[in-house]
Amino acid sequence: MRFSAQKPEEGGSVTRRALLGGGLAFAVAGCNSSGVDFGAGGPGVSAPPPSGAPLVGETLGSGPVRVGMILPLTQNGAPSPIGVSMRNAAQLAVDDFGGPYITLMVQDDHSSSDGAAQAAQSELGAGAQLILGPVFANDVRAASAAAKSAGRPMIAFSTDASVAAPGVYLLSFLIETYVDRIVQYSVSSGKKSFAIMAPQNDYGNVATDRFQQTAAGVNAQIVVTARYSAGQMATAAQQVAAVQGQVDALFIPEQADAMQAVANALSSNSVKTQLLGTGVWNDARVLKIPQMQGAWFSAPDNSGFNAFAQRYKAKFNSEPARLATLSYDAATLAAALARNGGPDPYNERALTNVSGFSGADGVFRFRPDGTNERGLAVIEIDGGAAKVISPAPRSFVAG
C-alpha cells in the first residue's frame, strides 16, 4: 500500500484503494495497515462541530469535518504568489477528493505572527479539528500555541525543524532529510571521505551540522569543513583544494542563485571531485552550469510534481509554485482521514502511521516529534538536465 516551508531563507491508516484525478494516489504506504479506508463503505465521517459555530474565512468543500488552513495570501499588503498558489492547490485537492468530507476554512495570516495566531484562534473557535499551515517558521510558532491550547494538531509547511513538536507536524522538505539521503547514497556508492563547503547562514548551519552527524553515524570521515560569508567563496575553495586528494566528494549546501559563483571559485582553484548537494539544486540555473555536470543531489522525483503542475495549469491557467504540492497533499490527507476516521480522525496514531502516506511528491511520514521522513530520489546533473540515478522508494520499511 501507499499513501514548510519557511520564508525562502536566505528555508488509523489508509489503504491504497483511492485514485485521484490525474492518477495521483493518496494512500497509506505500508502493506499491513488497518484502520482508515477511503474506499467505498466503512464507517462514516466524524460528527460535525456543535451547531452555532459560524464558519470563518474562505470555505472550500462542504463536508462535516472542519479543517483550518492558514496561508500567507498577502505580504506587505500585496498578493503573495506562493500563498495564492498554495490556496489554489488546496482547492484542487478539495475538488479532486475532499469536497464531501471536509470544509476547509482558508485564512490569510498576512505573513505575520500576529495574523497567524489570530487565524488559528478563529478557525479553532469555528470548530476546526486540524490546522493546515502556516508557512513561515515564526508564524507556525504563533499559531501552534493556539492549537496546543485547544488540543488540536497542526500540519505546517515550515522547513525549520525547530518549530516541530508532538502535535505540530511538518510536511515540508526538510534540510535534514535531503542530507540523510545524499550521505547514505554516497557512502553506498563507495565514498568514504568528504569535504564540506558551506555558506555562513541558517541553511548552511543546519545542513553542515546534519551532514557531520549523519557521516559520523556511517563511519565516514569529514576531512575539512570550509565556511564562507556571502560572496566570499574563494578562501573556502582554497581550503578544499588543499585537501582534495584526500576526499571522495564535496558537499555544498548552497542555494541555486549562488551556485555559479561557487562553481567559478572551485574552477579557479582546480577543484575536481564529486559534488553533492540538496534539493535546492533542482533548478534550471544550477542544471545548466558546466562545472555542475555530474553533480549529485537528493530531491523528490520530478514526475509527481510535473503531473500535479499539468493539472494545476489546466485549472488555473498558471504555473504552480513549487510549494503548492504541500497544501495539496495536506488537504488531501485531511480529507482522506476524515473520510473514515471516526470521531477523532486526526489523532496521533493516525497522523504518525509508520507506513506513511504517498502524495504528489512521493512517500512521506510524520515522526512523533513532528519532523518528517520523505522518500527522495538521488539525481545527477547530466547534459543540463536532472537524471534520476537512484529512484525514490515507494514505501517505507515498517517502523
Side-chain angles (χ1 to χ4, degrees):
M1 287 182 295
R2 305 185 317 168
F3 191 76
S4 151
Q6 64 194 71
K7 288 175 185 172
E9 244 81 275
E10 331 295 274
S13 57
V14 185
T15 68
R16 83 160 127 186
R17 294 172 56 186
L19 287 176
L20 304 183
L24 295 178
F26 208 76
V28 159
C31 294
N32 297 310
S33 306
S34 59
V36 182
D37 180 336
F38 52 84
V45 297
S46 303
S51 59
L55 294 164
V56 296
E58 178 190 16
T59 57
L60 305 175
S62 57
V65 178
R66 293 186 179 183
V67 175
M69 176 172 271
I70 304 170
L71 295 173
L73 299 176
T74 60
Q75 191 167 19
N76 299 322
S80 163
I82 290 176
V84 171
S85 188
M86 295 182 80
R87 176 263 169 219
N88 289 346
Q91 180 181 332
L92 189 61
V94 170
D95 293 347
D96 280 346
F97 177 73
Y101 310 118
I102 62 172
T103 294
L104 189 64
M105 300 178 287
V106 183
Q107 292 199 95
D108 183 12
D109 62 17
H110 306 285
S111 304
S112 73
S113 298
D114 287 346
Q118 292 168 8
Q121 290 165 359
S122 65
E123 289 173 353
L124 293 162
Q129 297 189 46
L130 171 70
I131 299 293
L132 308 179
V135 175
F136 304 145
N138 288 336
D139 304 347
V140 174
R141 290 188 180 96
S144 66
K148 289 174 184 176
S149 293
R152 297 298 188 188
M154 289 180 60
I155 297 176
F157 307 132
S158 171
T159 58
D160 185 345
S162 71
V163 303
V168 182
Y169 304 101
L170 300 183
L171 184 55
S172 43
F173 306 110
L174 300 179
I175 303 168
E176 293 86 348
T177 305
Y178 285 142
V179 171
D180 289 350
R181 178 69 165 113
I182 198 63
V183 171
Q184 291 159 3
Y185 177 78
S186 298
V187 171
S188 72
S189 300
K191 309 300 183 186
K192 299 177 181 178
S193 59
F194 299 88
I196 300 172
M197 180 174 163
Q200 292 278 12
N201 58 26
D202 290 343
Y203 194 98
N205 294 341
V206 172
T208 296
D209 289 347
R210 185 65 170 208
F211 196 96
Q212 292 170 337
Q213 294 169 14
T214 306
V218 293
N219 296 316
Q221 181 184 12
I222 307 295
V223 177
V224 67
T225 299
R227 306 298 300 274
Y228 57 88
S229 303
Q232 304 297 315
M233 296 89 171
T235 301
Q238 291 167 8
Q239 291 179 261
V240 174
V243 299
Q244 71 169 320
Q246 305 170 44
V247 302
D248 299 321
L250 169 61
F251 176 61
I252 310 173
E254 180 60 275
Q255 304 293 318
D257 57 2
M259 279 309 300
Q260 182 65 69
V262 169
N264 292 343
L266 294 175
S267 292
S268 296
N269 287 278
S270 301
V271 174
K272 294 181 180 179
T273 189
Q274 179 65 57
L275 303 183
L276 309 175
T278 70
V280 296
W281 284 7
N282 199 7
D283 184 297
R285 292 171 294 177
V286 179
L287 301 181
K288 70 181 183 182
I289 297 173
Q291 303 96 316
M292 296 301 295
Q293 305 310 302
W296 297 343
F297 63 89
S298 54
D301 190 309
N302 286 331
S303 61
F305 177 78
N306 292 342
F308 163 82
Q310 194 171 32
R311 297 170 53 249
Y312 180 103
K313 187 173 182 179
K315 185 173 184 68
F316 299 106
N317 197 32
S318 62
E319 298 290 344
R322 187 61 186 85
L323 299 185
T325 51
L326 300 182
S327 59
Y328 180 90
D329 284 353
T332 307
L333 176 58
L337 294 178
R339 165 66 179 85
N340 286 344
D344 185 19
Y346 308 123
N347 62 74
E348 181 181 9
R349 181 183 175 192
L351 289 170
T352 61
N353 187 299
V354 295
S355 296
F357 312 96
S358 178
D361 286 304
V363 293
F364 65 91
R365 62 182 172 188
F366 298 119
R367 294 187 177 103
D369 67 0
T371 60
N372 70 52
E373 294 177 70
R374 281 189 172 271
L376 300 175
V378 176
I379 294 170
E380 181 176 78
I381 302 176
D382 182 13
K387 171 187 171 184
V388 174
I389 56 174
S390 178
R394 294 179 178 271
S395 63
F396 291 108
V397 175

